[in-house]
């Protein structure tokens, strides 16, 4: 069993019996964040790409002992700023106590707030305590999501905000390709330009046979 807590925007905390991971920990400066970086102590920081609304509090959390796991470019940048990091790229997998993760493509862009190139943007499938969780990162809809669905996903975390990523309709089409058991919409209602109706999305997901949870920041599910 794994506990999945939505921290706001694209930030998600995954707690297994042996390992705690945070994905895209943008908390400080996030107007809807459920918590600040002081309240969490992950073992691993998994970054889908380098944009400021994903990189967020990475260095603060790395300073508390967490290891950054991401692209080669993000790992080099993190190490340059004093963090411990493990460099990877799309297609690669990484094992940790209680699980394993594998990076997949995402259709987006990736640069740090200071303009440094962040490598290719990614999505990630994390197997934690026997459950498979897909965090799509920031992405458009793409047909290779069908391949990601072959993992047999227990949960998908999909952006629905539109403007920078898929909107709700494309995220529903993504569900047809991914076929997860459950879905949590992310990357919406943080800023006016990505306002969406998460509850309506969750209901429409249900009509496709996928259990949807429109979590408020701080909300959690156990899978
Ligand atoms: Ni982005
Ligand atoms: Mn983003």
């Amino acid at each position: 069993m794994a506990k999945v807590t939505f921290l706001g925007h694209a930030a998600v905390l995954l707690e297994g019996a042996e390992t705690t991971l945070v994905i895209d920990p943008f908390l400080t400066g996030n107007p809807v964040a459920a918590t600040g970086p002081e309240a969490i102590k992950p073992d691993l920081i998994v970054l889908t790409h380098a944009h400021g609304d994903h990189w967020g509090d990475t260095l603060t959390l790395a300073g508390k002992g967490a290891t950054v796991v991401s692209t080669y470019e993000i790992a080099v940048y993190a190490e340059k700023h004093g963090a411990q990091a493990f460099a990877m790229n799309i297609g690669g997998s990484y094992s940790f106590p209680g699980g394993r993760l594998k990076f997949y493509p995402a259709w987006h862009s990736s640069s740090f707030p200071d303009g440094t190139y962040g490598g290719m943007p990614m999505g990630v499938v994390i197997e934690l305590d026997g459950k498979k969780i897909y965090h799509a990162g920031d992405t458009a809809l793409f047909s290779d999501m069908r391949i990601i669905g072959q993992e047999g996903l227990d949960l998908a975390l999909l952006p629905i905000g539109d403007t920078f990523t898929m909107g709700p309709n494309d995220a529903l089409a993504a569900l047809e390709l991914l076929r997860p058991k459950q879905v949590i919409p992310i990357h919406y209602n943080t800023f006016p330009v990505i306002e969406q109706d998460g509850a309506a999305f969750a209901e429409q997901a249900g009509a496709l046979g996928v259990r949807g949870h429109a979590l408020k920041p701080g909300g959690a599910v156990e899978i």
Side-chain angles (χ1 to χ4, degrees):
M1 200 167 70
K3 185 179 179 190
V4 180
T5 306
F6 176 53
L7 300 177
H9 198 55
V12 179
L13 189 72
L14 305 179
E15 294 170 274
E18 295 171 272
T19 302
T20 296
L21 306 92
V22 70
I23 309 169
D24 293 352
F26 169 50
L27 304 172
T28 302
N30 173 350
V32 302
T35 181
E38 67 287 343
I40 60 171
K41 198 178 182 309
D43 302 296
L44 300 176
I45 304 163
V46 180
L47 295 170
T48 62
H49 64 296
H51 287 157
D53 60 317
H54 299 258
W55 169 255
D57 293 294
T58 291
L59 293 177
T60 303
L61 294 169
K64 296 202 290 182
T67 299
V68 173
V69 181
S70 191
T71 59
Y72 172 78
E73 289 82 359
I74 288 174
V76 167
Y77 186 96
E79 283 176 341
K80 222 178 251 175
H81 289 79
Q84 184 169 311
F86 189 79
M88 297 181 61
N89 219 319
I90 300 166
S93 56
Y94 175 87
S95 293
F96 53 83
R100 179 170 185 274
L101 62 81
K102 183 175 174 187
F103 285 115
Y104 281 97
W107 276 98
H108 193 62
S109 59
S110 180
S111 53
F112 287 90
D114 67 7
T116 304
Y117 173 59
M120 295 293 281
M122 306 188 293
V124 62
V125 173
I126 298 175
E127 185 175 353
L128 181 63
D129 294 4
K131 300 293 181 179
K132 282 201 178 172
I133 301 150
Y134 171 52
H135 187 298
D138 283 1
T139 188
L141 173 67
F142 56 97
S143 60
D144 282 354
M145 284 178 172
R146 191 182 300 280
I147 295 172
I148 299 170
Q150 288 169 2
E151 289 259 13
L153 302 172
D154 294 287
L155 173 68
L157 300 152
L158 301 183
I160 67 161
D162 210 329
T163 308
F164 304 109
T165 67
M166 298 190 281
N169 288 339
D170 281 355
L172 289 169
L175 289 178
E176 306 268 23
L177 301 170
L178 295 163
R179 301 309 311 167
K181 291 195 180 98
Q182 306 189 54
V183 65
I184 297 173
I186 61 172
H187 211 277
Y188 72 105
N189 287 359
T190 321
F191 308 106
V193 76
I194 55 172
E195 264 174 28
Q196 298 294 342
D197 186 339
F201 173 80
E203 199 178 311
Q204 288 168 305
L208 298 175
V210 181
R211 189 168 172 206
H213 307 272
L215 297 180
K216 291 197 168 64
V221 293
E222 292 207 338
I223 58 167

